[in-house]
Amino acid sequence: MLLKPNLKLDKITDITYEMLKRRNITSLLLDVDNTLSTHHGMVLCAGLEEWLKYMKDNGINLLILSNSKKKRVEPFAEKIGLPFISLGLKPLFTGFARGRKRLNVGRKNLAIVGDQIFTDTLGGNFYGINTILLTPIKPESSLRFKIKRRLEKAVYKIYKIEDMKE
Ligand SMILES: [Mg+2]
């Protein structure tokens, strides 16, 4: 069950404060690539700024946790005004542990939001936090990613992830 998220949604702006409250989630670790913007893109996904403000206004603590390098993550984090951890090494526990420490929050009150089953979902489940899986904004073009996405499709099928309702 380590590959199955607690929640599967289409896009980040589908996450509501009520959903988090119901699950006692007070803090979110946010992936960047294909979660908040396209892969290595600087364009924010639709409605992101409003959503970030809405979450902050409701007291949700936000921290970026990305596997990408600092030179990619830092300018993006600055653009949206969030603290960040780059080279997060997801699915290993280290980045999750650093993030949780910085947010000073219990595992049960923390969730990772991301688009990749083998990094975001697997790592989050293994570390024992809530996992929210999103549909990738735009498919990547590299062969490595094409293989990854094909494997993810198999997992989607096995766990019937597409049918997961709130
Ligand atoms: Mg991603």
Side-chain angles (χ1 to χ4, degrees), residues 7-99:
L7 197 55
K8 164 65 178 65
L9 297 165
D10 190 29
K11 51 193 189 299
I12 188 123
T13 49
D14 291 342
I15 303 172
T16 67
Y17 171 65
E18 287 70 31
M19 284 175 193
L20 303 180
K21 200 180 170 197
R22 220 174 297 145
R23 294 173 166 81
N24 294 315
I25 295 167
T26 62
S27 306
L28 297 176
L29 294 169
L30 302 173
D31 173 53
V32 174
D33 292 308
N34 258 327
T35 294
L36 304 182
S37 77
T38 53
H39 188 72
H40 283 197
M42 281 297 282
V43 180
L44 316 189
C45 66
L48 181 61
E49 277 174 307
E50 294 80 3
W51 182 86
L52 292 171
K53 186 179 182 305
Y54 153 74
M55 282 295 162
K56 285 182 191 168
D57 286 350
N58 278 293
I60 300 294
N61 299 309
L62 307 169
L63 173 66
I64 286 175
L65 175 61
S66 170
N67 278 357
S68 291
K69 291 178 184 156
K70 190 177 175 187
K71 71 168 194 233
R72 185 285 185 267
V73 184
E74 190 169 42
F76 189 85
E78 266 173 18
K79 191 171 178 179
I80 59 173
L82 286 185
F84 72 94
I85 293 173
S86 52
L87 285 179
L89 300 175
K90 294 174 284 184
L92 300 183
F93 75 94
T94 47
F96 292 98
R98 277 173 65 200

Side-chain angles (χ1 to χ4, degrees), residues 122-156:
L122 174 63
N125 283 337
F126 191 72
Y127 187 60
I129 61 174
N130 298 276
T131 51
I132 303 174
L133 180 67
L134 304 179
T135 307
I137 294 172
K138 190 181 155 216
E140 301 84 355
S141 50
S142 71
L143 179 64
R144 189 170 67 98
F145 260 106
K146 279 184 181 157
I147 294 166
K148 267 196 196 181
R149 295 300 184 192
R150 202 164 292 171
L151 289 170
E152 282 182 345
K153 264 191 191 149
V155 177
Y156 264 72

